[in-house]
Amino acid sequence: MKTRQHNQRVIVLEEQNEDDIIKFLHKNALLLMRFVINFKSPISQNLQSTLKELNLCYFVGIIESKPTQSEQEKIEKLNADSTNQKETLEAKSSQNDLGKPKSCANSTKIIHKVRSGEEITHNGHLHILGDITSGAKVSASGSVTIFGDCYGVLEVRGEFLILRRLHSGYIVFDDEKLNADMLAKINANDNLKIIIKNGANIIIKDIVLG
């Protein structure tokens, strides 16, 4: 089985023989739990079931500095109501937004891992391929996508937050701290979730890439 490590935290499977891939996944499951597995082409239901059984994180497509077209379409579909509501609220109460950093759609930063003691503040979008470790803090005015685990402090003011699991009790999305029920919903399974805001309500939904 040929693999290629990409940017420290992503394993790209180059050989697409399904039987070989499944054998490779079972043999190296413990090691692969610390990586995101990338398939360049769509995978079968059988292979998806194997990945879920082994609790392995994966996505389909080419790694980019912004969401792929198919990912963006899914995000826009889920987020359409939230965007319309937000524009209405901003028009009526612009004074409440004077203290907020504004989202910068053209500023996207990729981070491999945020280590303990690090504090990252970014005026734009963030893609985090690894973990946010305990003692670290991440704050972004744009949207954030996390492929690793989050143990640190996270503050997101963008249109959406995508992640798999949270191990931190202090997560702020659009100036609202996520409560225990929200954290439980996020950690209910190993699927990636998208978090958006529809008016005063925070919406958490599972998403499937590829």
Side-chain angles (χ1 to χ4, degrees):
M1 170 60 60
K2 292 173 60 181
T3 67
R4 176 164 57 87
Q5 183 174 339
H6 184 85
N7 289 341
Q8 298 180 349
R9 301 293 301 182
V10 178
I11 289 288
V12 179
L13 294 187
E14 297 181 337
E15 186 176 335
Q16 296 299 312
N17 181 284
E18 184 168 300
D19 290 337
D20 290 341
I21 291 175
I22 290 176
K23 290 177 183 177
F24 174 80
L25 295 177
H26 278 285
K27 183 178 180 180
N28 300 280
L30 290 177
L31 174 64
L32 293 172
M33 284 181 180
R34 304 309 301 168
F35 293 84
V36 178
I37 302 171
N38 173 223
F39 297 92
K40 292 185 177 181
S41 58
I43 60 177
S44 69
Q45 186 64 46
N46 183 41
L47 185 50
Q48 291 181 44
S49 297
T50 299
L51 290 160
K52 185 174 182 179
E53 175 188 341
L54 297 174
N55 293 321
L56 297 177
C57 176
Y58 74 97
F59 67 101
V60 178
I62 299 173
I63 302 170
E64 299 183 1
S65 60
K66 58 182 180 180
T68 63
Q69 183 176 352
S70 62
E71 294 168 355
Q72 189 63 45
E73 288 173 355
K74 292 174 184 177
I75 291 167
E76 289 174 354
K77 183 178 179 181
L78 291 170
N79 199 35
D81 292 339
S82 174
T83 301
N84 292 336
Q85 182 67 27
K86 208 172 232 188
E87 289 175 352
T88 302
L89 291 175
E90 287 173 353
K92 292 181 178 180
S93 56
S94 59
Q95 185 175 359
N96 293 334
D97 293 326
L98 293 177
K100 289 187 180 181
K102 293 188 177 180
S103 177
C104 181
N106 294 324
S107 177
T108 299
K109 185 175 183 179
I110 298 177
I111 299 173
H112 303 308
K113 182 176 182 179
V114 186
R115 295 176 173 80
S116 180
E118 283 190 282
E119 184 170 337
I120 295 176
T121 301
H122 182 59
N123 185 27
H125 307 312
L126 282 176
H127 292 337
I128 301 174
L129 301 181
D131 298 340
I132 301 176
T133 59
S134 178
K137 180 180 179 181
V138 174
S139 178
S141 64
S143 300
V144 175
T145 301
I146 305 170
F147 288 107
D149 294 327
C150 180
Y151 295 89
V153 174
L154 180 62
E155 298 177 350
V156 180
R157 290 194 173 103
E159 294 295 328
F160 62 84
L161 167 62
I162 292 178
L163 43 71
R164 186 177 301 278
R165 281 184 177 274
L166 287 172
H167 305 277
S168 170
Y170 191 83
I171 307 296
V172 176
F173 178 67
D174 199 19
D175 292 330
E176 182 175 345
K177 182 180 177 181
L178 302 191
N179 59 39
D181 289 339
M182 295 174 185
L183 296 179
K185 186 172 183 179
I186 292 170
N187 293 326
N189 58 52
D190 290 324
N191 296 330
L192 284 171
K193 287 89 178 174
I194 182 168
I195 303 173
I196 59 176
K197 201 165 187 181
N198 186 3
N201 300 318
I202 288 181
I203 308 298
I204 302 170
K205 293 186 177 182
D206 285 16
I207 59 175
V208 178
L209 303 182

